[in-house]
Amino acid sequence: MPKILVTRRTFPESAAALRASGAEVVIWEDSDAPSQADLIKAVADIDGLYAHITNQVNAEVMDAAPNLKVIAEFGVGYDNIEIAAANERGIAVCNTPGILSESTADEAFALLASMARRTHDLPAMVKRGEWGDFDPLGYLATDIHHKTLGIVGMGNIGSEMAKRAAGFNMNVLYFNRKKRNEEFGATYVDSLEEILERSDYVSLHNPLTPETTNMMSTDQFKLMKKSAILINTTRGPVVDQDALYEALKSGEIAGAALDVTVPEPIPADHPLLTLDNCLIMPHVASATGDTRMKMAMMSVENVLAGVAGDWPPYCVNQAEIAGNARIKN
Ligand code: DGY
């Protein structure tokens, strides 16, 4: 009987689907994620790991799990998994692509709209009883329509963002490693610098890699318009937060909305939380009930296929491990 470890709580439906397979299923039910030490202990005899962003699945974890065939990440980003170590050991790594793109783009666009139309700061002012008489020059916001949105990373989520922007009559530019055939009304520009210079809103949708770590730092903020707003729903380390703080404080850029930070959770005394022009959400872009349920069921499909010795449907390293895979069928 294969053994599966799920590193965070899951829906009753996904737990039931795992158990219905006949596998022995261990679900980490604590409100806190396992520490790395706990994880290393818990993986000793597992065949499948249903993993979450809250743990680093590195070579040490993999070496503590000699039977491990498959790591099914709950999420599209799998930067918390040491992919080179999985490749070396022939462990299949899977993710949940596609199904969360629309919910993630919904949130990214909501953040853009919130910063533009000041739903991030004016309601608090109303609650404080500070709403003064109607003032033609008061509480001014920024338009969304006919402004330019620069999308960095035109994958599934970036293209959903472009579709939403088109509905708001925005001009959309995108920068991607490769020019795409289907552009959803967006215009390709061939450098990050150009997109930063031309955009009123810059929304990041590229994965976190060594090349994109601190991709947005002092030099990049200098290129942006002083009126520009940055939206980050990808991964915290893509933005150099110290440089962002300086750029927001000094007026180098007008605002930022972040769904992701370094670290997560961001400490309550972090300097970014002192700024009125910075809106921070707790890494929830895919967090709707429907989407999270679909992600859970996709993770179940991946992990169950892997422990049965079959290629999981959403395997990201099949080509890399084909010669030494622990999966046999
Ligand atoms: C994702 O899907 O990558 C989300 O950020 C959750 O990890």
Side-chain angles (χ1 to χ4, degrees):
M1 176 158 78
K3 183 167 174 184
I4 297 169
L5 173 68
V6 184
T7 62
R8 304 306 309 275
R9 64 194 178 131
T10 187
F11 293 95
E13 292 84 344
S14 37
L18 287 169
R19 292 202 168 103
S21 74
E24 179 186 347
V25 181
V26 177
I27 300 177
W28 190 268
E29 296 282 4
D30 289 10
S31 54
D32 293 335
S35 66
Q36 283 299 110
D38 284 337
L39 181 64
I40 285 168
K41 268 191 233 148
V43 296
D45 53 353
I46 65 166
D47 302 271
L49 180 63
Y50 175 147
H52 298 79
I53 193 168
T54 36
N55 280 103
Q56 294 302 312
V57 185
N58 53 21
E60 200 186 350
V61 173
M62 295 178 204
D63 284 339
N67 303 333
L68 186 61
K69 295 186 187 63
V70 57
I71 303 167
E73 175 76 13
F74 175 86
V76 68
Y78 51 91
D79 45 277
N80 58 316
I81 298 173
E82 198 181 328
I83 192 84
N87 291 348
E88 262 171 45
R89 290 159 182 76
I91 301 170
V93 174
C94 323
N95 68 346
T96 62
I99 40 159
L100 49 76
S101 306
E102 290 177 86
S103 295
T104 303
D106 283 348
E107 200 233 24
F109 204 87
L111 293 179
L112 182 159
S114 186
M115 292 303 295
R117 298 311 313 257
R118 302 192 53 185
T119 59
H120 71 293
D121 67 337
L122 293 183
M125 185 273 303
V126 173
K127 280 193 178 165
R128 288 194 304 268
E130 293 167 10
W131 179 1
D133 283 342
F134 175 78
D135 172 2
L137 303 188
Y139 315 134
L140 295 183
T142 310
D143 277 327
I144 300 173
H145 65 89
H146 300 103
K147 296 287 182 185
T148 298
L149 167 65
I151 295 177
V152 181
M154 192 65 148
N156 292 331
I157 301 171
S159 45
E160 289 298 334
M161 187 69 174
K163 288 186 209 165
R164 282 151 184 74
F168 276 75
N169 288 335
M170 298 186 84
N171 308 313
V172 185
L173 307 175
Y174 78 95
F175 171 64
N176 200 41
R177 275 169 308 170
K178 279 194 274 177
K179 187 172 183 309
R180 289 187 51 150
N181 296 329
E182 230 187 334
E183 297 182 329
F184 311 99
T187 304
Y188 176 70
V189 295
D190 67 3
S191 73
L192 177 64
E193 288 71 25
E194 184 178 347
I195 217 161
L196 297 178
E197 281 165 0
R198 291 176 58 188
S199 301
D200 299 299
Y201 301 91
V202 173
S203 190
L204 307 178
H205 299 285
N206 53 300
L208 174 64
T209 63
E211 295 73 43
T212 63
T213 302
N214 287 335
M215 180 184 84
M216 293 298 297
S217 191
T218 308
D219 291 348
Q220 288 69 35
F221 295 128
K222 285 208 169 93
L223 292 175
M224 289 172 71
K225 299 181 186 183
K226 293 215 180 317
S227 55
I229 288 168
L230 177 74
I231 298 115
N232 185 15
T233 53
T234 176
R235 286 291 183 263
V238 172
V239 175
D240 172 348
Q241 280 179 186
D242 294 338
L244 176 64
Y245 174 78
E246 290 307 325
L248 290 169
K249 182 117 184 118
S250 65
E252 196 69 70
I253 67 170
L258 313 174
D259 184 63
V260 285
T261 58
V262 184
E264 290 181 7
I266 194 164
D269 61 354
H270 194 284
L272 280 175
L273 295 174
T274 64
L275 300 176
D276 287 340
N277 56 350
C278 187
L279 165 61
I280 300 189
M281 292 286 281
H283 197 148
V284 287
S286 66
T288 66
D290 290 346
T291 293
R292 285 284 168 91
M293 170 69 88
K294 288 184 200 152
M295 291 164 68
M297 297 315 283
M298 213 169 189
S299 305
V300 168
E301 239 188 296
N302 279 328
V303 78
L304 288 183
V307 298
D310 297 326
W311 285 108
Y314 306 99
C315 183
V316 299
N317 63 343
Q318 184 163 352
E320 288 77 5
I321 65 170
N324 68 330
R326 292 184 186 175
I327 279 173
K328 290 297 164 231
N329 305 326

